[in-house]
Amino acid sequence: MSWRWALARRVAALAATGGGRGAQAQRLLPTSSAAAGTGLLGRHHMPLASQIRSKVVGCRGAALVSSRWLHDAQYQVRQDGASRAQEQQDPFELVADELSLLANRLRSMVAAEVPKLASAAEYFFKVGAEGKRFRPTVLLLMASALKFPLSESTEGGVLSILADKLRTRQQNIAEITEMIHVASLLHDDVLDDADTRRGVSSLNLIMGNKLSVLAGDFLLSRACVALAALGNTEVVSLMATAVEHLVTGETMQISTSREQRRSMEYYLQKTYYKTASLISNSCKAVAILAGHTAEVSMLTYEYGRNLGLAFQLIDDVLDFTGTSASLGKGSLSDIHHGIITAPMLYAIEEFPQLQEIVDRGFDNSANIEIALDYLRKSRGIERTKELAREHADRAVKAIESLPDSDDEDVLTSRRALIDITERVITRTK
């Protein structure tokens, strides 16, 4: 179906030039297009038909193209979109080879001279314990979704060398992000006194709190060394801010006042700091390393921010609806730790009397049961899913707003990033 896409784009270009080429454009399209197609390539391609129509109307004489031609052009684009949607590939499979490369490099990067520290630091980087590798996948796809901004006059050999060097630096961002993320997990498990993580025993349960904290600190130091090696002060600032936000968010979570615990605004700000800041700033760092404009960099940031918020909102839903086996950690862990998340906040809006139960705390299991009963009667779960969908839609819009590209690898990566937003809000674990 790719020839139809190329044909439609070629016809649009010819029509835009006006003059005798309008007739040439009309001859390029097949005359038989009785079958109607309903597939859509995506919202960001709909303006193409509008551009064609406006330019055609402005042309005179031989440049005038019939409405039948417009229909044909729209049809070809939509049919191509339907075909591409059917060929949607697994986002994680698209970067599987790179993920394996990153996993090996990460294991070597966290090696330490002291055996116990080395064993602790590599605990979640061992084969089978790496988790979903969600963040590296997003970052590698984002790197592919941004066309390398070089002059067309650049020689092929030079272009290839520069592209390979850039890709390595963007892979470094994925490695740094994963080390920061795992360090935050090690610290969180100590703070939460967790006994499971990613379906296995938590490091603090196996080796104790002290070594877990030190292992987290060690990973952060390794991330800092790798970050400094990139030699880009703006990227260093972005990633340092993300680490600061992780600490700020955790502090907000353990030191809330009564008013803050019932505030959705406070909850979302804390969620941004704890979950969304790292992925959003990392996405932006990928764009900055490639030399993209501030506008493009901000679009990548918005994608990461909204994807991160959607991810955590669904995580908060699954804490109530999932099982310990499916989540890889204990279910109802938030409420057992007195953490109030979006589902419960929405339930309080519907049943204000629930606030009194929340204020009492959940040391008493009877209060937990009462709170869960109110949650079941409310639309708290549904409204949280709706909010997650809103943020996922904003993430999609950010990808659709990126500069146009005809590069198939770029388009495939953008479709994969959009697919990830859907996976995030429909996941069950």
Side-chain angles (χ1 to χ4, degrees):
M1 298 301 291
S2 61
W3 67 269
R4 288 181 176 145
W5 172 251
L7 181 60
R9 292 298 294 257
R10 174 65 175 155
V11 170
L14 288 172
T17 62
R21 307 187 80 176
Q24 182 186 353
Q26 191 171 7
R27 288 196 298 272
L28 282 174
L29 282 174
T31 56
S32 59
S33 56
T38 58
L40 292 175
L41 179 59
R43 282 173 283 177
H44 65 299
H45 282 288
M46 289 309 296
L48 174 60
S50 299
Q51 292 170 11
I52 294 172
R53 186 182 299 277
S54 63
K55 291 176 180 177
V56 168
V57 170
C59 296
R60 297 180 180 178
L64 183 62
V65 182
S66 67
S67 60
R68 180 60 175 271
W69 175 85
L70 285 171
H71 170 78
D72 286 348
Q74 291 174 326
Y75 173 73
Q76 299 294 0
V77 172
R78 291 174 182 176
Q79 282 295 92
D80 186 70
S83 173
R84 289 164 187 267
Q86 291 172 358
E87 298 170 2
Q88 183 71 50
Q89 300 181 52
D90 184 335
F92 295 87
E93 286 299 320
L94 286 173
V95 294
D97 290 342
E98 278 187 283
L99 286 175
S100 296
L101 176 66
L102 261 62
N104 291 332
R105 287 212 300 244
L106 280 167
R107 281 190 281 272
S108 65
M109 291 171 72
V110 300
E113 295 179 9
V114 180
K116 275 197 173 183
L117 180 58
S119 179
E122 69 177 9
Y123 187 73
F124 285 122
F125 294 111
K126 293 183 294 186
V127 176
E130 310 105 315
K132 299 179 288 293
R133 295 183 290 189
F134 174 77
R135 288 158 189 81
T137 297
V138 170
L139 294 172
L140 292 174
L141 288 172
M142 183 62 77
S144 298
L146 301 172
K147 190 172 182 179
F148 194 33
L150 280 181
S151 170
E152 294 181 1
S153 62
T154 305
E155 294 183 5
V158 175
L159 176 61
S160 177
I161 293 172
L162 291 174
D164 288 346
K165 183 177 180 181
L166 170 62
R167 189 69 181 190
T168 299
R169 287 161 65 81
Q170 290 171 325
Q171 289 172 351
N172 293 153
I173 292 294
E175 294 160 357
I176 291 164
T177 300
E178 189 67 1
M179 283 191 285
I180 293 172
H181 172 61
V182 172
S184 73
L185 297 183
L186 296 178
H187 289 165
D188 282 355
D189 286 347
V190 171
L191 291 171
D192 298 340
D193 196 25
D195 54 15
T196 58
R197 170 69 69 176
R198 293 179 173 176
V200 298
S201 297
S202 61
L203 182 63
N204 54 296
L205 182 68
I206 300 297
M207 296 188 173
N209 288 342
K210 290 181 179 180
L211 199 54
S212 292
V213 171
L214 291 173
D217 292 346
F218 178 73
L219 290 178
L220 288 175
S221 69
R222 288 293 196 197
C224 289
V225 171
L227 193 55
L230 291 174
N232 187 303
T233 55
E234 187 174 3
V235 168
V236 170
S237 179
L238 282 174
M239 302 307 291
T241 297
V243 174
E244 176 192 344
H245 284 170
L246 284 169
V247 177
T248 301
E250 191 62 43
T251 304
M252 289 175 70
Q253 181 165 284
I254 64 176
S255 60
T256 55
S257 66
R258 179 176 297 184
E259 289 71 25
Q260 289 168 338
R261 291 181 78 198
R262 67 181 72 175
S263 168
M264 180 64 76
E265 181 181 357
Y266 186 88
Y267 159 81
L268 288 174
Q269 185 65 50
K270 177 201 71 175
T271 299
Y272 166 73
Y273 285 150
K274 279 179 60 66
T275 305
S277 176
L278 179 58
I279 188 64
S280 60
N281 282 297
S282 297
C283 283
K284 188 175 181 180
V286 164
I288 289 172
L289 284 178
H292 286 283
T293 64
E295 181 181 4
V296 170
S297 298
M298 186 52 66
L299 287 172
T300 65
Y301 170 87
E302 283 300 318
Y303 173 83
R305 176 181 179 276
N306 286 291
L307 182 70
L309 289 172
F311 186 96
Q312 187 58 51
L313 285 163
I314 295 301
D315 228 34
D316 292 342
V317 166
L318 293 175
D319 192 58
F320 290 106
T321 64
T323 64
S324 296
S326 68
L327 297 177
K329 60 182 181 180
S331 58
L332 296 177
S333 61
D334 286 336
I335 195 168
H336 279 295
H337 287 93
I339 300 170
I340 307 304
T341 56
M344 197 63 71
L345 289 172
Y346 280 131
I348 292 172
E349 286 185 14
E350 291 183 54
F351 299 99
Q353 58 269 39
L354 174 57
Q355 184 63 58
E356 182 182 347
I357 305 299
V358 171
D359 289 342
R360 286 184 209 160
F362 296 109
D363 293 334
N364 186 337
S365 60
N367 287 343
I368 293 179
E369 288 305 316
I370 294 172
L372 292 177
D373 185 53
Y374 276 116
L375 178 62
R376 283 188 286 267
K377 292 188 292 186
S378 75
R379 290 191 66 251
I381 297 293
E382 290 77 11
R383 290 180 69 185
T384 303
K385 289 181 179 179
E386 290 167 4
L387 182 59
R389 168 65 72 177
E390 288 179 20
H391 284 289
D393 288 344
R394 291 175 192 168
V396 170
K397 184 178 180 181
I399 295 300
E400 292 177 344
S401 299
L402 290 171
D404 290 340
S405 175
D406 293 331
D407 187 295
E408 186 55 38
D409 289 338
V410 170
L411 296 176
T412 297
S413 297
R414 292 182 184 182
R415 288 192 294 270
L417 288 170
I418 290 173
D419 183 32
I420 283 178
T421 65
E422 188 65 28
R423 290 168 180 259
V424 160
I425 60 176
T426 57
R427 66 194 176 99
T428 57
K429 59 182 181 179

